[in-house]
Amino acid sequence: MYLPPPGRVARRSILRRALAKMPLGGAGAAELAREFAVRTEGFTGADLQSLCQKAVLAALSRRSAVSVHDDAAAEAAAEAAAEVPAVRREHLDEALQQTKPSVSRPMLERLEGWARSLGGCNRASPEDDDLG
């Protein structure tokens, strides 16, 4: 059975759910999901989850070092380090530069041709499910 990558509407839904589970700075989950759904054509659900995980890692790597001078400050710094920092659009941009679709366009075309030859996959493009 062949399942094509999610279209834009499905990617937006996947991203909105993944982003809603993480602290965001700036734009909200719905706005970011809408923007990045357009920018992630050909991504699978797993690719989108990877994108979000890499965005969290980018946010963590940008966290500035805290100078610690006493025990209370050290304890506060340890508590702050345990918290996931806010993920921002620039973290998603960085993650998108590092994340590519796991299925190439030529592979996708071969799979769709194979599925059509077996009587399935009547959808011409992964974007056809976009209702608006």
Side-chain angles (χ1 to χ4, degrees), residues 58-67 77 80-81 85:
L60 286 167
S61 71
R62 300 291 177 267
R63 184 186 303 204
S64 60
V66 176
S67 178

Side-chain angles (χ1 to χ4, degrees), residues 13-37:
S13 178
I14 293 166
L15 286 166
R16 188 174 46 241
R17 286 187 179 132
L19 292 168
K21 296 177 184 176
M22 59 181 67
L24 298 175
E31 179 183 339
L32 289 170
R34 188 176 311 107
E35 175 184 341
F36 281 86

Side-chain angles (χ1 to χ4, degrees), residues 77-126:
E79 286 178 21
E83 294 177 19
V84 176
V87 173
R88 299 183 178 281
R89 177 177 278 108
E90 58 265 21
H91 301 131
L92 285 160
D93 285 332
E94 182 179 332
L96 186 58
Q97 290 177 347
Q98 301 170 8
T99 309
K100 301 300 175 210
S102 57
V103 181
S104 68
R105 174 51 72 187
M107 181 185 294
L108 184 59
E109 289 170 357
R110 283 193 310 272
L111 290 169
E112 288 175 348
W114 174 77
R116 276 191 299 275
S117 73
L118 296 175
C121 189
N122 55 8
R123 193 167 77 163
S125 161

Side-chain angles (χ1 to χ4, degrees), residues 64-81:
S64 60
V66 176
S67 178
V68 178
H69 299 290
D70 60 38
D71 290 338
E75 186 174 323
E79 286 178 21

Side-chain angles (χ1 to χ4, degrees), residues 4-14 37-38 40-43 48 123 125-130:
R8 186 171 42 226
V9 171
R11 289 193 311 273
R12 184 172 56 209
S13 178
I14 293 166
V38 171
T40 53
E41 180 179 352
F43 278 51
L48 296 170
R123 193 167 77 163
S125 161
E127 298 307 305
D128 285 348
D129 70 344
D130 187 11

